[in-house]
Amino acid sequence: MTTSATVPSDRLTDQHAPTLVIGAGPAGLAVAGCLKARGAPCVVLERGAEIAASWRRHYDRLHLHTAARHSSLPGFGFPSGTPRYPSRDQMVGYLEEYAQRFEIVPHLGEEVASLRPSDGEWIVETAAARYRSPQVVVATGTNAIPWIPAWPGQERFRGSILHSREYRNGETFRGQHVLVVGFGNSAGEIAIDLHEHGARPAMAVRGPVNIVPREIAGIPISSVSLLLSRVPTRLADALAPRIARLTTGDIARFGLTQATVSPMTQIRVESRIPLIDIGTLDLIRRGHIEIRPGLRSFGAREATFEDGSRDTFDAVITATGFRPGVARFLDPAVDSDGPITEPARTGPAGDAMTKWPRSRVESTNGLYFCGFAVTPTGMLREIGIEARRIAAHITARTR
Ligand SMILES: Cc1cc2nc3c(=O)[nH]c(=O)nc-3n(C[C@H](O)[C@H](O)[C@H](O)COP(=O)(O)OP(=O)(O)OC[C@H]3O[C@@H](n4cnc5c(N)ncnc54)[C@H](O)[C@@H]3O)c2cc1C
Protein backbone atom coordinates (compact mmCIF):
# COMPACT_ATOMS: atom_id res chain seq x y z
CA MET A 1 0.00 0.00 0.00
CA THR A 2 1.22 3.47 -0.85
CA THR A 3 0.20 6.38 1.30
CA SER A 4 -0.17 9.89 0.04
CA ALA A 5 2.54 12.38 0.91
CA THR A 6 3.22 15.46 -1.12
CA VAL A 7 6.52 15.25 -2.94
CA PRO A 8 7.53 18.19 -5.16
CA SER A 9 6.76 17.21 -8.74
CA ASP A 10 10.40 17.57 -9.91
CA ARG A 11 11.52 15.03 -7.29
CA LEU A 12 9.06 12.32 -8.26
CA THR A 13 10.73 9.34 -9.84
CA ASP A 14 9.02 7.59 -12.73
CA GLN A 15 7.47 4.21 -12.02
CA HIS A 16 6.49 2.06 -14.95
CA ALA A 17 3.10 0.33 -14.98
CA PRO A 18 2.14 -2.13 -17.75
CA THR A 19 -1.44 -0.83 -17.49
CA LEU A 20 -2.72 1.72 -15.03
CA VAL A 21 -6.27 1.70 -13.71
CA ILE A 22 -7.55 4.79 -11.89
CA GLY A 23 -10.23 3.99 -9.30
CA ALA A 24 -10.97 0.87 -7.24
CA GLY A 25 -14.76 0.95 -7.38
CA PRO A 26 -16.75 -1.64 -9.35
CA ALA A 27 -15.40 -0.39 -12.72
CA GLY A 28 -11.72 -0.34 -11.74
CA LEU A 29 -11.98 -3.71 -10.00
CA ALA A 30 -13.82 -5.23 -12.98
CA VAL A 31 -11.13 -4.05 -15.42
CA ALA A 32 -8.34 -5.25 -13.11
CA GLY A 33 -10.12 -8.60 -12.63
CA CYS A 34 -10.54 -9.09 -16.39
CA LEU A 35 -6.88 -8.18 -17.01
CA LYS A 36 -5.76 -10.62 -14.28
CA ALA A 37 -7.90 -13.37 -15.79
CA ARG A 38 -5.98 -12.79 -19.05
CA GLY A 39 -2.64 -12.88 -17.24
CA ALA A 40 -2.08 -9.15 -17.83
CA PRO A 41 -0.69 -7.25 -14.84
CA CYS A 42 -1.87 -3.75 -13.90
CA VAL A 43 -1.47 -1.13 -11.19
CA VAL A 44 -4.67 0.22 -9.60
CA LEU A 45 -4.66 3.67 -7.97
CA GLU A 46 -7.42 4.58 -5.50
CA ARG A 47 -7.80 7.89 -3.71
CA GLY A 48 -9.80 6.38 -0.83
CA ALA A 49 -8.36 4.56 2.17
CA GLU A 50 -10.20 1.39 1.13
CA ILE A 51 -11.58 -0.11 -2.06
CA ALA A 52 -15.24 0.57 -2.97
CA ALA A 53 -14.97 4.00 -1.36
CA SER A 54 -18.17 5.32 -3.01
CA TRP A 55 -20.24 2.36 -1.88
CA ARG A 56 -19.03 2.62 1.72
CA ARG A 57 -20.25 6.23 1.81
CA HIS A 58 -23.79 5.57 0.58
CA TYR A 59 -26.69 5.94 3.05
CA ASP A 60 -27.53 3.06 5.40
CA ARG A 61 -30.86 2.01 3.86
CA LEU A 62 -29.50 1.57 0.32
CA HIS A 63 -30.08 -1.69 -1.52
CA LEU A 64 -29.23 -2.24 -5.17
CA HIS A 65 -32.06 -1.21 -7.46
CA THR A 66 -30.86 -3.70 -10.05
CA ALA A 67 -31.07 -7.43 -9.42
CA ALA A 68 -27.91 -9.15 -8.12
CA ARG A 69 -27.69 -11.40 -11.17
CA HIS A 70 -27.40 -8.32 -13.39
CA SER A 71 -25.06 -6.50 -11.05
CA SER A 72 -22.09 -8.79 -10.47
CA LEU A 73 -18.69 -8.22 -12.03
CA PRO A 74 -17.07 -10.52 -14.61
CA GLY A 75 -15.80 -13.90 -13.46
CA PHE A 76 -17.25 -13.95 -9.94
CA GLY A 77 -20.91 -13.72 -8.89
CA PHE A 78 -22.50 -12.73 -5.60
CA PRO A 79 -22.27 -15.57 -3.04
CA SER A 80 -25.23 -17.96 -2.91
CA GLY A 81 -27.88 -16.82 -0.46
CA THR A 82 -27.46 -13.16 -1.44
CA PRO A 83 -30.92 -11.56 -1.71
CA ARG A 84 -32.20 -10.44 -5.10
CA TYR A 85 -31.41 -6.82 -4.16
CA PRO A 86 -28.23 -6.81 -2.04
CA SER A 87 -27.79 -4.21 0.68
CA ARG A 88 -25.03 -1.61 0.63
CA ASP A 89 -22.96 -3.69 3.08
CA GLN A 90 -23.43 -6.84 1.02
CA MET A 91 -22.27 -4.92 -2.06
CA VAL A 92 -19.16 -3.71 -0.22
CA GLY A 93 -18.47 -7.26 1.05
CA TYR A 94 -18.86 -8.59 -2.48
CA LEU A 95 -16.41 -6.03 -3.90
CA GLU A 96 -13.88 -6.91 -1.18
CA GLU A 97 -14.20 -10.60 -2.06
CA TYR A 98 -13.85 -9.76 -5.75
CA ALA A 99 -10.56 -7.97 -5.09
CA GLN A 100 -9.30 -10.91 -3.02
CA ARG A 101 -10.38 -13.43 -5.60
CA PHE A 102 -8.36 -11.72 -8.35
CA GLU A 103 -5.57 -10.65 -5.98
CA ILE A 104 -6.11 -6.98 -6.77
CA VAL A 105 -4.11 -4.86 -4.32
CA PRO A 106 -4.67 -1.21 -5.19
CA HIS A 107 -2.34 1.58 -4.14
CA LEU A 108 -4.67 3.20 -1.62
CA GLY A 109 -4.71 6.87 -0.67
CA GLU A 110 -3.31 7.88 -4.06
CA GLU A 111 -5.46 10.48 -5.77
CA VAL A 112 -4.63 11.10 -9.40
CA ALA A 113 -3.98 14.79 -9.87
CA SER A 114 -2.98 14.76 -13.54
CA LEU A 115 -3.13 12.53 -16.57
CA ARG A 116 -1.40 13.56 -19.78
CA PRO A 117 0.18 12.03 -22.88
CA SER A 118 3.94 12.05 -23.41
CA ASP A 119 6.01 10.31 -26.10
CA GLY A 120 3.39 7.68 -26.91
CA GLU A 121 2.76 6.90 -23.24
CA TRP A 122 0.59 8.32 -20.48
CA ILE A 123 1.93 10.09 -17.42
CA VAL A 124 -0.16 9.89 -14.28
CA GLU A 125 0.77 11.91 -11.22
CA THR A 126 -0.39 11.57 -7.66
CA ALA A 127 1.00 13.53 -4.70
CA ALA A 128 3.43 10.69 -3.99
CA ALA A 129 4.42 9.20 -7.32
CA ARG A 130 4.61 9.59 -11.08
CA TYR A 131 3.67 6.65 -13.26
CA ARG A 132 4.31 6.02 -16.94
CA SER A 133 2.14 3.56 -18.76
CA PRO A 134 1.19 2.76 -22.36
CA GLN A 135 -2.42 2.19 -21.24
CA VAL A 136 -4.57 4.01 -18.71
CA VAL A 137 -8.12 3.07 -17.79
CA VAL A 138 -10.09 5.89 -16.16
CA ALA A 139 -12.61 4.25 -13.80
CA THR A 140 -13.29 7.12 -11.43
CA GLY A 141 -17.08 6.94 -11.75
CA THR A 142 -19.84 9.35 -12.65
CA ASN A 143 -20.32 10.15 -8.96
CA ALA A 144 -16.95 11.65 -8.05
CA ILE A 145 -18.16 15.13 -7.08
CA PRO A 146 -21.46 15.90 -5.30
CA TRP A 147 -23.39 18.54 -7.24
CA ILE A 148 -25.40 21.17 -5.38
CA PRO A 149 -26.99 23.94 -7.43
CA ALA A 150 -26.86 27.45 -5.92
CA TRP A 151 -30.26 28.89 -4.95
CA PRO A 152 -30.85 32.56 -4.14
CA GLY A 153 -30.92 33.12 -0.38
CA GLN A 154 -29.29 29.76 0.42
CA GLU A 155 -26.75 31.39 2.77
CA ARG A 156 -29.59 32.84 4.87
CA PHE A 157 -31.28 29.50 5.52
CA ARG A 158 -30.84 28.63 9.22
CA GLY A 159 -31.53 24.91 8.94
CA SER A 160 -28.98 22.42 7.63
CA ILE A 161 -28.48 21.82 3.92
CA LEU A 162 -26.68 18.63 3.03
CA HIS A 163 -26.03 16.65 -0.11
CA SER A 164 -27.40 13.10 -0.34
CA ARG A 165 -23.81 11.83 -0.13
CA GLU A 166 -23.60 13.16 3.46
CA TYR A 167 -26.93 11.61 4.45
CA ARG A 168 -26.59 8.45 6.57
CA ASN A 169 -30.11 7.87 7.96
CA GLY A 170 -33.18 9.75 9.20
CA GLU A 171 -32.40 9.46 12.92
CA THR A 172 -31.21 13.05 13.33
CA PHE A 173 -34.29 14.36 11.48
CA ARG A 174 -36.94 12.73 13.71
CA GLY A 175 -39.94 15.08 14.06
CA GLN A 176 -38.52 17.54 11.54
CA HIS A 177 -40.01 18.90 8.32
CA VAL A 178 -37.39 18.02 5.73
CA LEU A 179 -37.24 19.05 2.09
CA VAL A 180 -35.64 16.56 -0.29
CA VAL A 181 -34.65 18.26 -3.53
CA GLY A 182 -34.78 15.99 -6.57
CA PHE A 183 -36.72 12.95 -7.73
CA GLY A 184 -34.02 10.41 -8.56
CA ASN A 185 -33.49 7.10 -6.84
CA SER A 186 -31.52 8.55 -3.92
CA ALA A 187 -34.21 11.21 -3.39
CA GLY A 188 -36.99 8.62 -3.45
CA GLU A 189 -35.31 6.31 -0.98
CA ILE A 190 -34.15 9.07 1.35
CA ALA A 191 -37.76 10.36 1.52
CA ILE A 192 -38.88 6.85 2.55
CA ASP A 193 -36.10 6.65 5.14
CA LEU A 194 -37.05 10.03 6.60
CA HIS A 195 -40.68 8.91 6.94
CA GLU A 196 -39.59 5.64 8.58
CA HIS A 197 -37.58 7.67 11.10
CA GLY A 198 -40.52 9.86 12.06
CA ALA A 199 -39.62 12.93 9.99
CA ARG A 200 -42.09 14.71 7.67
CA PRO A 201 -40.52 14.64 4.19
CA ALA A 202 -41.48 16.79 1.20
CA MET A 203 -39.92 16.46 -2.24
CA ALA A 204 -39.21 19.40 -4.56
CA VAL A 205 -39.67 18.16 -8.12
CA ARG A 206 -38.91 20.58 -10.94
CA GLY A 207 -39.75 18.74 -14.15
CA PRO A 208 -41.63 15.85 -15.76
CA VAL A 209 -40.81 12.45 -14.29
CA ASN A 210 -40.88 8.78 -15.14
CA ILE A 211 -41.58 6.29 -12.38
CA VAL A 212 -41.09 2.58 -12.94
CA PRO A 213 -41.77 -0.22 -10.45
CA ARG A 214 -38.73 -2.20 -9.29
CA GLU A 215 -40.46 -5.35 -10.57
CA ILE A 216 -43.24 -6.04 -13.04
CA ALA A 217 -45.09 -9.33 -12.38
CA GLY A 218 -42.17 -10.46 -10.24
CA ILE A 219 -39.63 -9.75 -13.00
CA PRO A 220 -36.88 -7.25 -12.04
CA ILE A 221 -37.07 -4.01 -14.00
CA SER A 222 -33.45 -4.56 -15.11
CA SER A 223 -34.63 -7.69 -16.99
CA VAL A 224 -37.66 -5.86 -18.41
CA SER A 225 -35.35 -3.03 -19.55
CA LEU A 226 -33.18 -5.53 -21.40
CA LEU A 227 -36.21 -6.53 -23.49
CA LEU A 228 -37.48 -2.98 -23.94
CA SER A 229 -34.06 -1.72 -25.03
CA ARG A 230 -34.74 -3.53 -28.32
CA VAL A 231 -38.00 -1.67 -28.96
CA PRO A 232 -37.61 1.25 -31.46
CA THR A 233 -37.47 4.63 -29.67
CA ARG A 234 -40.56 6.09 -31.38
CA LEU A 235 -42.68 3.09 -30.47
CA ALA A 236 -41.40 3.10 -26.87
CA ASP A 237 -42.17 6.83 -26.56
CA ALA A 238 -45.66 6.34 -28.01
CA LEU A 239 -46.41 3.52 -25.57
CA ALA A 240 -44.80 5.18 -22.55
CA PRO A 241 -47.79 7.24 -21.27
CA ARG A 242 -50.11 4.22 -21.47
CA ILE A 243 -47.63 1.92 -19.73
CA ALA A 244 -47.10 4.59 -17.06
CA ARG A 245 -50.85 4.84 -16.42
CA LEU A 246 -51.06 1.06 -16.03
CA THR A 247 -48.08 0.76 -13.68
CA THR A 248 -48.29 3.94 -11.61
CA GLY A 249 -51.76 5.39 -12.30
CA ASP A 250 -52.40 9.09 -12.73
CA ILE A 251 -49.54 10.84 -10.94
CA ALA A 252 -50.77 14.33 -11.86
CA ARG A 253 -53.18 14.26 -8.90
CA PHE A 254 -50.14 14.24 -6.56
CA GLY A 255 -48.60 17.28 -8.25
CA LEU A 256 -46.22 15.28 -10.43
CA THR A 257 -45.97 15.71 -14.21
CA GLN A 258 -45.68 12.56 -16.26
CA ALA A 259 -42.77 12.69 -18.75
CA THR A 260 -43.86 12.45 -22.35
CA VAL A 261 -40.87 10.36 -23.38
CA SER A 262 -40.23 6.79 -22.30
CA PRO A 263 -37.76 6.01 -19.49
CA MET A 264 -35.45 4.60 -22.19
CA THR A 265 -35.36 7.90 -24.09
CA GLN A 266 -34.91 9.81 -20.85
CA ILE A 267 -31.84 7.73 -20.07
CA ARG A 268 -30.40 7.89 -23.59
CA VAL A 269 -30.96 11.59 -24.17
CA GLU A 270 -30.64 13.11 -20.69
CA SER A 271 -28.55 10.41 -18.96
CA ARG A 272 -31.24 10.44 -16.26
CA ILE A 273 -32.38 7.21 -14.62
CA PRO A 274 -36.14 7.15 -13.86
CA LEU A 275 -37.32 6.66 -10.29
CA ILE A 276 -37.28 2.92 -9.70
CA ASP A 277 -40.05 2.83 -7.15
CA ILE A 278 -39.48 0.87 -3.95
CA GLY A 279 -42.34 2.46 -2.01
CA THR A 280 -42.01 6.22 -2.54
CA LEU A 281 -45.18 6.47 -4.65
CA ASP A 282 -47.27 4.64 -2.07
CA LEU A 283 -46.13 7.06 0.65
CA ILE A 284 -46.93 9.99 -1.68
CA ARG A 285 -50.38 8.49 -2.32
CA ARG A 286 -50.99 8.12 1.43
CA GLY A 287 -49.90 11.71 2.08
CA HIS A 288 -46.75 10.76 4.03
CA ILE A 289 -44.48 12.40 1.45
CA GLU A 290 -45.58 15.82 0.14
CA ILE A 291 -44.80 16.87 -3.44
CA ARG A 292 -43.77 20.46 -4.16
CA PRO A 293 -42.71 22.18 -7.39
CA GLY A 294 -39.07 22.98 -8.12
CA LEU A 295 -37.20 24.97 -5.50
CA ARG A 296 -36.76 28.65 -6.35
CA SER A 297 -35.14 30.30 -3.31
CA PHE A 298 -34.54 30.24 0.43
CA GLY A 299 -35.37 32.53 3.33
CA ALA A 300 -34.19 32.16 6.94
CA ARG A 301 -36.56 29.27 7.64
CA GLU A 302 -38.60 28.84 4.50
CA ALA A 303 -38.27 27.65 0.96
CA THR A 304 -40.10 29.29 -1.95
CA PHE A 305 -41.13 27.13 -4.87
CA GLU A 306 -41.48 27.81 -8.60
CA ASP A 307 -45.24 28.40 -8.32
CA GLY A 308 -44.65 31.06 -5.64
CA SER A 309 -45.82 28.87 -2.74
CA ARG A 310 -43.72 28.77 0.46
CA ASP A 311 -43.23 26.54 3.45
CA THR A 312 -40.93 26.33 6.44
CA PHE A 313 -38.38 23.53 6.76
CA ASP A 314 -35.91 22.40 9.41
CA ALA A 315 -33.50 20.82 6.96
CA VAL A 316 -32.88 20.34 3.25
CA ILE A 317 -31.31 17.33 1.59
CA THR A 318 -30.18 17.94 -1.96
CA ALA A 319 -30.35 14.74 -3.97
CA THR A 320 -29.24 16.67 -7.03
CA GLY A 321 -26.67 14.23 -8.33
CA PHE A 322 -22.98 14.19 -9.02
CA ARG A 323 -20.43 15.17 -11.62
CA PRO A 324 -17.67 12.84 -12.85
CA GLY A 325 -14.86 15.35 -12.30
CA VAL A 326 -12.53 13.80 -14.88
CA ALA A 327 -11.69 17.29 -16.13
CA ARG A 328 -9.94 17.92 -12.79
CA PHE A 329 -7.07 15.65 -13.74
CA LEU A 330 -7.30 14.99 -17.48
CA ASP A 331 -5.06 17.20 -19.61
CA PRO A 332 -7.43 19.67 -21.34
CA ALA A 333 -5.45 19.31 -24.56
CA VAL A 334 -6.53 15.66 -24.68
CA ASP A 335 -10.03 16.77 -23.87
CA SER A 336 -10.26 19.11 -26.83
CA ASP A 337 -9.12 16.38 -29.21
CA GLY A 338 -12.75 15.50 -29.51
CA PRO A 339 -13.61 11.86 -29.25
CA ILE A 340 -12.89 11.45 -25.55
CA THR A 341 -15.59 13.67 -24.16
CA GLU A 342 -18.99 14.71 -25.30
CA PRO A 343 -19.53 18.44 -25.70
CA ALA A 344 -20.42 20.22 -22.47
CA ARG A 345 -24.14 19.85 -21.92
CA THR A 346 -26.51 22.09 -20.10
CA GLY A 347 -28.78 20.75 -17.38
CA PRO A 348 -32.55 21.30 -17.49
CA ALA A 349 -32.32 24.46 -15.39
CA GLY A 350 -29.36 25.84 -17.26
CA ASP A 351 -26.75 24.58 -14.76
CA ALA A 352 -23.47 24.29 -16.55
CA MET A 353 -22.49 20.64 -16.39
CA THR A 354 -18.90 19.54 -16.48
CA LYS A 355 -17.83 17.51 -19.45
CA TRP A 356 -18.94 13.93 -19.30
CA PRO A 357 -16.61 11.33 -20.74
CA ARG A 358 -18.02 8.69 -23.01
CA SER A 359 -17.27 5.16 -22.10
CA ARG A 360 -14.51 4.21 -24.43
CA VAL A 361 -13.60 0.63 -24.95
CA GLU A 362 -11.78 0.56 -28.28
CA SER A 363 -9.07 3.11 -27.75
CA THR A 364 -6.55 4.04 -30.41
CA ASN A 365 -4.25 5.94 -28.07
CA GLY A 366 -4.25 3.70 -24.99
CA LEU A 367 -6.68 5.83 -22.96
CA TYR A 368 -9.83 3.99 -21.89
CA PHE A 369 -12.91 4.98 -19.89
CA CYS A 370 -15.00 2.44 -18.03
CA GLY A 371 -18.23 3.09 -16.12
CA PHE A 372 -19.44 6.31 -17.75
CA ALA A 373 -22.31 4.92 -19.82
CA VAL A 374 -25.68 5.61 -18.21
CA THR A 375 -27.83 2.77 -19.53
CA PRO A 376 -31.40 1.54 -19.00
CA THR A 377 -30.10 -1.92 -18.22
CA GLY A 378 -28.04 -0.99 -15.15
CA MET A 379 -24.62 0.60 -14.84
CA LEU A 380 -23.08 -2.35 -13.02
CA ARG A 381 -24.11 -4.71 -15.81
CA GLU A 382 -22.69 -2.31 -18.38
CA ILE A 383 -19.45 -2.00 -16.40
CA GLY A 384 -18.98 -5.77 -16.67
CA ILE A 385 -19.47 -5.66 -20.45
CA GLU A 386 -17.10 -2.73 -20.89
CA ALA A 387 -14.44 -4.19 -18.59
CA ARG A 388 -14.31 -7.43 -20.59
CA ARG A 389 -13.95 -5.51 -23.85
CA ILE A 390 -11.32 -3.14 -22.47
CA ALA A 391 -9.23 -6.02 -21.09
CA ALA A 392 -9.49 -7.87 -24.44
CA HIS A 393 -8.48 -4.73 -26.32
CA ILE A 394 -5.52 -4.02 -24.04
CA THR A 395 -4.18 -7.57 -24.22
CA ALA A 396 -4.54 -7.57 -28.03
CA ARG A 397 -2.76 -4.21 -28.19
CA THR A 398 0.16 -5.34 -26.05
CA ARG A 399 0.63 -8.73 -27.67
C1 LIG B 1 -26.89 5.85 -4.38
C2 LIG B 1 -26.53 5.08 -5.63
C3 LIG B 1 -27.09 3.83 -5.87
C4 LIG B 1 -26.77 3.11 -7.02
N1 LIG B 1 -27.36 1.89 -7.25
C5 LIG B 1 -27.07 1.22 -8.39
C6 LIG B 1 -27.70 -0.04 -8.66
O1 LIG B 1 -28.53 -0.52 -7.90
N2 LIG B 1 -27.35 -0.68 -9.80
C7 LIG B 1 -26.45 -0.16 -10.71
O2 LIG B 1 -26.19 -0.79 -11.73
N3 LIG B 1 -25.85 1.02 -10.46
C8 LIG B 1 -26.14 1.73 -9.34
N4 LIG B 1 -25.55 2.93 -9.11
C9 LIG B 1 -24.63 3.49 -10.08
C10 LIG B 1 -23.22 3.25 -9.49
O3 LIG B 1 -22.56 4.46 -9.39
C11 LIG B 1 -22.45 2.27 -10.25
O4 LIG B 1 -23.17 1.12 -10.42
C12 LIG B 1 -21.08 1.93 -9.65
O5 LIG B 1 -20.81 2.25 -8.31
C13 LIG B 1 -20.13 2.72 -10.46
O6 LIG B 1 -18.87 2.18 -10.23
P1 LIG B 1 -17.60 3.00 -10.63
O7 LIG B 1 -16.42 2.14 -10.27
O8 LIG B 1 -17.73 3.48 -12.02
O9 LIG B 1 -17.68 4.28 -9.69
P2 LIG B 1 -17.45 4.39 -8.13
O10 LIG B 1 -18.15 3.31 -7.42
O11 LIG B 1 -17.80 5.80 -7.77
O12 LIG B 1 -15.87 4.16 -7.95
C14 LIG B 1 -14.94 5.11 -8.45
C15 LIG B 1 -13.69 5.01 -7.59
O13 LIG B 1 -12.71 5.90 -8.12
C16 LIG B 1 -12.07 6.58 -7.03
N5 LIG B 1 -11.55 7.86 -7.56
C17 LIG B 1 -12.28 8.92 -8.01
N6 LIG B 1 -11.45 9.90 -8.42
C18 LIG B 1 -10.17 9.45 -8.26
C19 LIG B 1 -8.88 9.98 -8.52
N7 LIG B 1 -8.71 11.21 -9.06
N8 LIG B 1 -7.79 9.22 -8.22
C20 LIG B 1 -7.93 7.99 -7.69
N9 LIG B 1 -9.14 7.42 -7.41
C21 LIG B 1 -10.24 8.13 -7.70
C22 LIG B 1 -13.19 6.75 -6.02
O14 LIG B 1 -12.70 6.97 -4.72
C23 LIG B 1 -13.93 5.44 -6.15
O15 LIG B 1 -13.45 4.45 -5.29
C24 LIG B 1 -25.85 3.67 -7.95
C25 LIG B 1 -25.27 4.92 -7.69
C26 LIG B 1 -25.60 5.62 -6.54
C27 LIG B 1 -24.97 6.98 -6.30
Side-chain angles (χ1 to χ4, degrees), residues 22-23 31 37 132 140 156 158 162 166 180 192 228 239 260 262 304 337 346 350 352 364 375 377:
I22 310 175
V31 171
R132 275 183 177 273
T140 47
R156 281 189 288 138
R158 294 216 200 106
L162 62 147
E166 299 162 84
V180 179
I192 298 175
L228 288 178
L239 292 174
T260 50
S262 70
T304 302
D337 271 356
T346 304
T364 50
T375 66
T377 50

Side-chain angles (χ1 to χ4, degrees), residues 22-29 45-48 50-55 57-59 62-67 70-71 91 95 110-113 126 139-144 165 185-186 322 324-325 328-329 370-372 377-383:
I22 310 175
L29 294 174
L45 302 179
E46 166 56 50
R47 70 176 174 185
E50 294 172 285
I51 65 158
S54 302
W55 275 92
R57 269 198 306 259
H58 290 328
Y59 49 88
L62 181 65
H63 286 69
L64 285 187
H65 288 68
T66 50
H70 288 145
S71 309
M91 182 66 185
L95 294 173
E110 280 213 59
E111 176 157 12
V112 169
T126 70
T140 47
T142 54
N143 299 328
R165 169 170 285 183
N185 286 304
S186 296
F322 299 84
R328 288 198 301 190
F329 58 82
C370 183
F372 294 94
T377 50
M379 288 185 72
L380 289 164
R381 179 178 174 277
E382 194 65 23
I383 280 170

Side-chain angles (χ1 to χ4, degrees), residues 14 17 36 41 44 55 94 99 123 130 247 370:
D14 284 358
K36 285 268 179 156
V44 182
W55 275 92
Y94 165 71
I123 297 186
R130 180 166 56 218
T247 51
C370 183

